[in-house]
Amino acid sequence: MKDYFNYQGKICVVTGSSNGMGLATAKMLVDLGAEVYAVSRSATKIEGLAASILCDLSKKDEIDSAFAHLPSHIDCFFGVAGLSGSKTDYLTTFNCDFTANKYITQEYLTKRMGKGCSITYVSSTAGLNWEQHRNEQNKVVHASNWEATEQALGKLPVTAPANFAYIFAKRCMSQYAAEQALELGKQGIRVNNVMPGSTETGMKDEFEKMAGGKEALLNETGVAHRLASPEEMAGPIVFLGSDLCSFVSGVDFCVDSADRTQKVLKIKKDVANISATNPLILTMAKKAMNKKNSK
């Protein structure tokens, strides 16, 4: 039987690999014969891993430490790690969901990858509509380094609540992925962006709370009317990183059981398509800051 995916012996790095779709992705890659390095805040327990490396992706020094233990050549990178913002502050959420991937790409992947390699970022359906909000995202996305990114973020009119950091980070991630597909394409490196819909992961309760309850979250699951399994997200992630997609780059791969299609066809409202400077967001920010200051 021919191996069309061609992961056998390839060096793959997966972030956020200790649970959810990151864990499912790492398992799938191991099964396909890849040499998989798992990078996560908690130990990744998969038989056959090359290594499980502990790393808080919201901290630059921990990323540096992690990459000091990774191979000098990487064939495929999967940036799956993310925080919802429900239990973390704005900056921690944003750095994990966006700044980490940008920093890893600039500082390490550009030096450890070459022709035929692939980068697959995982943003979210929250990152849809990024094209409409580039004026808000540009200074952050185009900041020169980690520190400059944080400085640009601090100059935005809203820095709370933290759960909006999730939406904003995913939009920035989607824009960055598109731009890197062009830039890294010069080196023969493919870059794609998977946008998962609502999924059964360890953060399900957090997303239910953010959405306004279980029914509200299920309303974002398209025609399936159920949450996706982590494996249903891992499949498209692994597919995009494989040789089956050797001519695919610059794609926003929306995996949401036609939820976005319903919004495009105006069957349902796109409640996430909101500006960072929208009065509603600014009101939420003010309430969050007042609550924080009253403690």
Side-chain angles (χ1 to χ4, degrees):
M1 182 181 294
K2 183 175 176 59
D3 178 12
Y4 287 99
F5 286 94
N6 197 28
Y7 276 115
Q8 189 69 40
K10 284 189 175 180
I11 297 171
C12 298
V13 175
V14 183
T15 69
S17 52
S18 62
N19 56 65
M21 62 185 78
L23 178 62
T25 297
K27 281 182 177 179
M28 206 171 287
L29 290 167
V30 169
D31 289 342
L32 289 167
E35 183 179 327
V36 181
Y37 292 81
V39 179
S40 188
R41 287 188 299 172
S42 304
T44 302
K45 299 176 182 179
I46 302 173
E47 186 176 350
L49 274 181
S52 173
I53 300 170
L54 298 182
C55 176
D56 182 342
L57 273 295
S58 69
K59 299 177 180 179
K60 185 177 77 165
D61 59 341
E62 292 204 19
I63 293 174
D64 290 334
S65 178
F67 271 82
H69 294 88
L70 289 171
S72 59
H73 173 78
I74 296 169
D75 293 297
C76 306
F77 175 79
F78 300 88
V80 188
L83 295 170
S84 71
S86 177
K87 297 181 178 180
T88 48
D89 62 70
Y90 194 99
L91 187 59
T92 298
T93 304
F94 189 86
N95 279 343
C96 180
D97 291 6
F98 172 71
T99 316
N101 279 320
K102 176 183 173 181
Y103 179 73
I104 287 170
T105 302
Q106 289 178 326
E107 294 298 317
Y108 296 103
L109 301 185
T110 55
K111 300 166 186 174
R112 300 191 188 187
M113 287 183 149
K115 187 175 181 180
C117 295
S118 69
I119 297 173
T120 307
Y121 301 118
V122 177
S123 62
S124 164
T125 49
L128 290 167
N129 308 305
W130 64 266
E131 306 97 321
Q132 301 174 36
H133 303 284
R134 288 176 66 188
N135 61 320
E136 295 175 357
Q137 297 148 198
N138 279 335
K139 288 185 178 179
V140 176
V141 172
H142 298 154
S144 59
N145 54 33
W146 186 290
E147 291 75 18
T149 301
E150 288 188 346
Q151 290 170 10
L153 185 67
K155 292 178 181 178
L156 292 176
V158 57
T159 56
N163 54 12
F164 188 75
Y166 176 82
I167 297 174
F168 188 60
K170 297 304 184 181
R171 287 183 189 164
C172 289
M173 193 66 254
S174 299
Q175 178 176 339
Y176 185 74
E179 294 179 357
Q180 289 305 300
L182 302 182
E183 185 61 30
L184 296 183
K186 299 171 186 176
Q187 298 175 231
I189 302 170
R190 296 188 300 107
V191 181
N192 290 296
N193 177 40
V194 176
M195 302 175 120
S198 300
T199 305
E200 186 80 45
T201 71
M203 294 193 293
K204 183 190 73 169
D205 291 344
E206 297 172 39
F207 284 115
E208 278 188 7
K209 182 179 178 181
M210 289 164 62
K214 181 178 180 180
E215 290 305 314
L217 186 63
L218 287 175
N219 190 49
E220 301 298 312
T221 58
V223 297
H225 304 298
R226 65 169 177 83
L227 298 180
S229 71
E231 291 73 20
E232 287 175 309
M233 293 300 165
I237 293 169
V238 170
F239 170 66
L240 274 184
S242 77
D243 282 4
L244 278 173
C245 291
S246 60
F247 205 68
V248 179
S249 194
V251 166
D252 283 335
F253 197 166
C254 192
V255 189
D256 66 352
S257 189
D259 187 69
R260 178 176 180 272
T261 300
Q262 292 177 325
K263 293 168 183 174
V264 170
L265 295 176
K266 308 297 183 184
I267 294 171
K268 64 191 293 188
K269 186 178 180 180
D270 187 354
V271 295
N273 190 10
I274 187 169
S275 168
T277 56
N278 184 284
L280 174 62
I281 292 298
L282 294 175
T283 299
M284 290 169 66
K286 186 176 180 180
K287 287 182 178 178
M289 293 304 292
N290 289 339
K291 184 177 180 181
K292 180 180 179 182
N293 293 334
S294 67
K295 291 183 178 180

